[in-house]
Amino acid sequence: MKATAKAHPIQGLIKYHGMRDEQLRLPYHDSISVCTAPSHTRTTVEFQPDAAEDVYRIGEERVSGRGAERIDAVVNHVRELADIDHPVRLESENSFPPNIGFGSSSSGFAAAAMALATAAGLDLTRPEVSTIARRGSSSAARAVTGAFSQLYSGMNDQDCRSERIETDLEEDLRIVAAHVPAYKETEQAHREAAESHMFQARMAHVHHQIDAMRDALFEADFGTAFELAEHDSLSLTATTMTGPAGWVYWQPDTIAVFNAVRELRSEEEIPVYFSTDTGASVYVNTTADHADAVEEAVAAVGVDTDVWEVGGPAEILPESQALF
């Protein structure tokens, strides 16, 4: 009863913000994202009948407190679905820096859900596994189905699940990741989202944004898709900044990357757009032909960079790649 899985983190394109059910992590509206590779989380889980308790580790550190509670939500749901009660050992590692705005919770819970379902002997589709991952992080649902995916809103697992969106943009997209290492915490921002006076304004237009993004992806219209993602980042940030806590995630380097992107677009006519989730780091979206020039310009700001491609769905790895 052991399995190892790998999942890629997501970049939110039309992002969700806030949850109408915190326990099931049901979002207020649909969301669309794209997975980034080769960045990934690898997780090994084992159901251990003779163990005394659950043990969760990320890297070399044992997880406790709220982090453990979120993993519990995923583990307990799998135990319920499989009708088993064995303690679980879970170990996980990331290939990229966590907690700086690059979606580590999405890949983490996606890999955990995939490994847990497999180790428990559940025969599930990826959309079904996405409902398990969602209990840890709504964005993790989309990391399960991979590439460009949409998480549908709803009040139950039949409705609120992720499905992949097929698009020809998968081959040409390159993401220059601009690392701005400012620690961020998103859970409280989600909890208070509806208290922002900008939240209803966001809700009024986000459904149109979802439809427009789907059309752009179906038509492989790079400019429209990533202009929408750029504007959605600004909309999301307006909502987080005007909540009770007044969250401000962006740092000076974040703004410097924005300016570099706009200069490339206006002065050199390069197809390039910025995007952020709830964090200071920046996704800079461009095409394969322009990736080198864009990375050079972003690095000149003084930040570390990676160039990522589109990542696929969560997958089970061979036993030889287990973490224990």
Side-chain angles (χ1 to χ4, degrees):
M1 303 181 73
K2 180 178 179 179
T4 300
K6 180 176 79 171
H8 300 288
I10 63 97
Q11 171 196 175
L13 300 179
I14 305 298
K15 293 163 268 289
Y16 88 97
H17 188 49
M19 293 172 286
R20 53 184 172 182
D21 185 312
E22 187 173 341
Q23 181 178 359
L24 297 179
R25 301 189 82 87
L26 302 173
Y28 284 102
H29 58 78
D30 292 8
S31 53
I32 295 175
S33 62
V34 61
C35 281
T36 61
S39 55
H40 67 272
T41 299
R42 180 167 51 131
T43 300
T44 298
V45 302
E46 184 175 27
F47 289 92
Q48 300 181 324
D50 297 330
E53 61 181 355
D54 295 327
V55 176
Y56 312 139
R57 288 190 176 89
I58 298 177
E60 299 299 321
E61 296 185 9
R62 184 160 179 173
V63 183
S64 60
R66 179 58 183 152
E69 291 176 359
R70 290 177 68 180
I71 299 174
D72 282 340
V74 177
V75 170
N76 290 336
H77 186 52
V78 171
R79 281 195 281 236
E80 180 182 359
L81 291 174
D83 193 24
I84 56 177
D85 59 3
H86 305 322
V88 165
R89 177 181 176 185
L90 180 152
E91 295 196 11
S92 185
E93 65 177 21
N94 297 306
S95 71
F96 60 102
N99 297 315
I100 65 168
F102 284 141
S104 59
S105 64
S106 65
S107 55
F109 283 109
M114 195 75 182
L116 284 161
T118 301
L122 298 173
D123 184 17
L124 303 175
T125 65
R126 282 188 175 82
E128 288 170 335
V129 175
S130 78
T131 68
I132 299 172
R134 193 200 66 234
R135 285 164 164 79
S137 165
S138 290
S139 59
R142 287 175 271 122
V144 170
T145 50
F148 290 87
S149 285
Q150 179 169 351
L151 174 62
Y152 295 91
S153 61
M155 297 302 292
N156 53 60
D157 288 342
Q158 286 68 42
D159 294 333
C160 191
R161 58 177 59 194
S162 178
E163 294 183 358
R164 185 162 171 170
I165 300 172
E166 300 295 337
T167 172
D168 289 341
L169 289 180
E170 286 185 20
E171 294 298 321
D172 198 33
L173 174 62
R174 296 294 182 272
I175 304 114
V176 177
H179 297 246
V180 183
Y183 179 84
K184 57 89 184 176
E185 177 60 59
T186 62
E187 192 163 18
Q188 181 61 37
H190 282 302
R191 187 172 294 124
E192 65 178 37
E195 298 180 59
S196 165
H197 68 274
M198 297 293 292
F199 182 73
Q200 292 304 321
R202 178 170 174 77
M203 288 292 291
H205 78 83
V206 73
H207 303 290
H208 169 74
Q209 300 291 90
I210 289 286
D211 291 342
M213 178 63 75
R214 285 180 60 88
D215 284 347
L217 294 177
F218 290 146
E219 296 169 8
D221 184 343
F222 178 90
T224 298
F226 289 99
E227 182 178 20
L228 283 166
E230 183 172 297
H231 283 281
D232 188 69
S233 299
L234 301 174
S235 169
L236 176 74
T237 303
T239 307
T240 58
M241 288 196 302
T242 52
W247 298 96
V248 179
Y249 293 109
W250 292 348
Q251 300 294 315
D253 282 345
T254 308
I255 304 299
V257 172
F258 293 174
N259 291 336
V261 168
R262 285 174 164 164
E263 184 175 331
L264 286 170
R265 199 163 65 217
S266 63
E267 297 185 9
E268 300 188 36
E269 297 185 350
I270 289 177
V272 58
Y273 301 86
F274 64 78
S275 176
T276 61
D277 290 332
T278 44
S281 295
V282 187
Y283 300 96
V284 180
N285 298 296
T286 190
T287 60
D289 288 344
H290 298 283
D292 290 344
V294 170
E295 183 185 26
E296 182 178 352
V298 172
V301 169
V303 299
D304 292 335
T305 60
D306 288 303
V307 178
W308 292 335
E309 300 181 5
V310 174
E315 60 180 326
I316 295 297
L317 299 177
E319 290 183 18
S320 61
Q321 295 191 40
L323 295 175
F324 62 86

